[in-house]
Amino acid sequence: MKRFALFIIAIILFASCDDNPVSSLSDKASGELQKWKSLGINSYTLTQMRIANFTYSGRYVRIYVTNNAITDIRDSSGTTSISGENWQWYKSVDQLFDILIDTKYTKPSYYEILYDDTYHFPAALSLGPGTAKQSEAYTFLTIELIPNK
C-alpha cells in the first residue's frame, strides 16, 4: 500500500511538472486575454474584493469601467463612492491581465488563478511576492462582471 501511495504521488508530481510554470501562467493569461478582447467589452461594472493591507481590504466594491479605464469605485451597494486614494488597490480586467502576463518577469513565489467561463477574465487571482519589480502579493476576487450596453 505504501508503494502504491508513493507511485501515485510520483505520477501526480510528474504530471504537474512544467519546465517553466510561470511562463505557462503568462502564456495562458495571454490566451485568455485574446478571448476577453474578442468579446469587445470595453465598458462594464465589476464587483471585486482585494485582500491587502488598506482600509477597504476584504470588502466587495463596485468598479465602474468605461473605455477600459476605471471611472468610479463605490461600496458594494453602489451608493457610496470610495475615495480616490484607495482606487490604486483595485484593477480593471485589462489591469488584471497585465499583472498576470507580467509574471514571466516578476516570477511570483506562488500563484492561483481561476478564469470566468463566460467572459474569460481572471475571476480569482492570488500571486505571491516575487522579484523586486513585484514585491507585494496580490489577491483579487471578482464575483460579477456586468457589461454596459
Side-chain angles (χ1 to χ4, degrees), residues 3-70:
R3 259 194 235 168
F4 181 72
L6 290 173
F7 177 72
I8 295 299
I9 291 170
I11 288 174
I12 291 170
L13 288 174
F14 180 74
S16 65
C17 285
D18 191 338
D19 290 339
N20 190 344
V22 173
S23 180
S24 66
L25 172 69
S26 181
D27 293 344
K28 170 81 171 158
S30 294
E32 293 297 319
L33 173 61
Q34 293 311 308
K35 292 176 188 175
W36 160 254
K37 292 287 188 188
S38 74
L39 299 172
I41 301 171
N42 298 314
S43 298
Y44 52 89
T45 301
L46 292 173
T47 302
Q48 185 181 87
M49 177 191 301
R50 169 79 193 270
I51 300 172
N53 188 19
F54 68 101
T55 304
Y56 293 97
S57 178
R59 297 183 203 168
Y60 283 102
V61 298
R62 287 190 186 172
I63 303 169
Y64 299 87
V65 177
T66 304
N67 295 323
N68 293 319
I70 295 175

Side-chain angles (χ1 to χ4, degrees), residues 44-46 61-66 69-75 78-84 87 90:
Y44 52 89
T45 301
L46 292 173
V61 298
R62 287 190 186 172
I63 303 169
Y64 299 87
V65 177
T66 304
I70 295 175
T71 56
D72 196 11
I73 300 179
R74 297 178 175 265
D75 66 354
T79 56
T80 305
S81 285
I82 304 298
S83 62
W87 284 24
Y90 300 99

Side-chain angles (χ1 to χ4, degrees), residues 102-109 128-136:
D102 206 33
T103 58
K104 63 184 163 193
Y105 305 112
T106 59
K107 297 179 177 41
S109 56
T131 62
K133 185 176 179 183
Q134 186 242 322
S135 58
E136 69 176 301

Side-chain angles (χ1 to χ4, degrees), residues 3 11-12 29 47 60 77 79 89 108 112 120-121 127 148:
R3 259 194 235 168
I11 288 174
I12 291 170
T47 302
Y60 283 102
S77 68
T79 56
W89 302 110
E112 294 291 328
H120 307 284
F121 67 89
L127 295 175
N148 294 350

